[in-house]
Amino acid sequence: MKVGFIGLGVMGGPMALNILKGGHELTVFDRSPEAIARLVKAGAKSAATPREVGAASDIVVTMLPEPQHVEQVVLGPDGVAEGLRKGGIVIEMSTIDPQTSRRVGDVLRERGMELVDSPVGKTSEHAATGTLTLMVGGNKPAIDAATPVLKCMGTDTFYCGGPGTGHAMKITNNLLATTIMVANTEALAIGIKSGLTLELMQEVMRTTMGWNQQLAVAMPKKAFLGDDSPGFAVRLACKDVRLACDLAKNLGFDALVGRGAQKTMEQAIEQGLGERDTATLMFIREKQLGIEVRQKAAEQRKAA
Ligand code: NAD
């Protein structure tokens, strides 16, 4: 299949590589020449514009930061829609709001093309191993046609419903995952400052309703090791929660917990930490209170 890929960042780069490994012909574009060069070295062709990617492809994948980037790259001047043939498909995999997803999809359908939404869950490690969670929405024939490409990138595939439902699922999930993570940083900071150890809190919380995947899996790999090197950027986590809060507002209510998490992350961005991994939110609390929330055993493992 002739596949195009636009947005070759932390997630999109390895996802595009897996499409190449799947035996598809790949044409790529990114606004970063370095990102394009990495894919060209692996065997992809480069294009000068999203329109050129569309013209060279049956299916174009987009993996971009925010809704406005998707709108511009797909529907803007020199966009994918200007090059893609009738019957061509855009697989939109960024984390964007369902309204933008539906609006872009509707315009494509008016022009005889299709949009499948398939935002992804998990991390850049899973992007590299082709084991992402895929939350798929759209019309069935288009989803069927897109499936061979989707299979190169993910293993856990969930069909969420019609157009936009994949993006609704992703935003809902990230609102929950991020607010839990921010709540963890508050609770752990309070505990340590009050004289508890991280090990004791983990032991107790493991038996209560306070236990969660962020505490069990994500934080021991980064925050508790003192590592906030780029992974899932605060800038992107904040964007996801903002989109969820805006969606809640459109639906007629104020997502108060979400807005608290959003404000916490906006403060981190104001301090210049937008590109750091979300683990940095724990370190902000540490600095505020003069404490350290670190796993002794994990520190020993890292040192060994
Ligand atoms: P990133 O910032 O690393 O990559 C985005 C890429 O898009 C960059 O290479 C950038 O140069 C390119 N780009 C931006 N605007 C462009 C434009 N107008 N034209 C062409 N290229 C453009 O972001 P990422 O971490 O790869 O995330 C991509 C999307 O996936 C985001 O919506 C994010 O929320 C979501 N996501 C990220 C993760 C994660 O762990 N990083 C996990 C799941 C979902």
Side-chain angles (χ1 to χ4, degrees):
M1 217 180 264
K2 288 181 179 163
V3 183
F5 206 112
I6 303 174
L8 306 163
V10 169
M11 297 295 284
M15 288 160 69
L17 277 176
N18 283 328
I19 293 176
L20 265 181
K21 283 184 200 150
H24 302 287
E25 220 176 276
L26 189 69
T27 306
V28 299
F29 176 74
D30 192 289
R31 64 182 176 193
S32 149
E34 294 80 25
I36 294 180
R38 279 193 290 275
L39 265 294
V40 168
K41 205 171 159 202
K45 287 184 209 146
S46 73
T49 61
R51 180 178 56 76
E52 279 187 22
V53 175
S57 313
D58 305 309
I59 291 183
V60 177
V61 179
T62 49
M63 190 57 174
L64 296 155
E66 305 218 15
Q68 67 270 23
H69 303 123
V70 173
E71 210 145 12
Q72 181 213 336
V73 160
V74 178
L75 301 179
D78 263 336
V80 176
E82 289 187 6
L84 194 62
R85 64 170 171 80
K86 281 204 177 359
I89 297 170
V90 173
I91 308 179
E92 208 311 288
M93 304 189 79
S94 331
T95 305
I96 62 167
D97 57 290
Q99 303 100 308
T100 302
S101 174
R102 289 188 184 121
R103 195 168 53 244
V104 173
D106 286 347
V107 175
L108 287 178
R109 280 176 211 106
E110 277 163 23
R111 299 196 199 171
M113 299 162 240
E114 263 290 354
L115 184 134
V116 169
D117 44 311
S118 180
V120 307
K122 299 188 198 158
T123 68
S124 55
E125 287 169 33
H126 301 94
T129 51
T131 54
L132 290 165
T133 294
L134 305 178
M135 300 165 227
V136 184
N139 295 321
K140 186 78 172 62
I143 292 174
D144 289 345
T147 296
V149 177
L150 291 172
K151 277 194 170 158
C152 299
M153 298 179 275
T155 41
D156 299 316
T157 305
F158 296 92
Y159 296 100
C160 302
T165 53
H167 282 122
M169 182 66 242
K170 174 66 183 169
I171 289 291
T172 305
N173 176 74
N174 278 30
L175 173 66
L176 188 59
T178 306
T179 51
I180 287 172
M181 186 262 301
V182 173
N184 285 342
T185 67
E186 290 185 1
L188 296 176
I190 290 168
I192 296 276
K193 190 70 183 175
S194 306
L196 306 175
T197 65
L198 178 58
E199 285 71 20
L200 174 70
M201 286 191 280
Q202 286 172 312
E203 221 173 290
V204 173
M205 287 169 181
R206 201 172 276 123
T207 70
T208 76
M209 293 301 145
W211 198 235
N212 60 74
Q213 290 279 83
Q214 296 278 17
L215 260 181
V217 182
M219 296 182 86
K221 280 189 189 163
K222 297 279 285 190
F224 299 161
L225 293 175
D227 177 8
D228 67 349
S229 60
F232 187 39
V234 173
R235 159 183 61 92
L236 293 175
C238 186
K239 174 261 306 183
D240 295 350
V241 172
R242 174 174 46 79
L243 292 177
C245 292
D246 290 349
L247 183 57
K249 205 168 168 194
N250 284 336
L251 296 173
F253 79 101
D254 189 1
L256 273 176
V257 178
R259 279 205 294 119
Q262 182 185 338
K263 195 166 176 202
T264 305
M265 290 185 286
E266 283 169 354
Q267 285 167 352
I269 293 168
E270 276 163 27
Q271 291 174 35
L273 299 168
E275 296 307 320
R276 305 308 295 171
D277 184 82
T278 50
T280 211
L281 301 170
M282 188 73 255
F283 307 156
I284 291 175
R285 302 260 179 254
E286 289 181 343
K287 279 192 203 113
Q288 278 169 345
L289 296 178
I291 53 167
E292 275 205 341
V293 185
R294 300 292 157 84
Q295 190 106 51
K296 287 201 191 84
E299 270 181 2
Q300 281 157 7
R301 265 202 307 280
K302 202 184 175 200

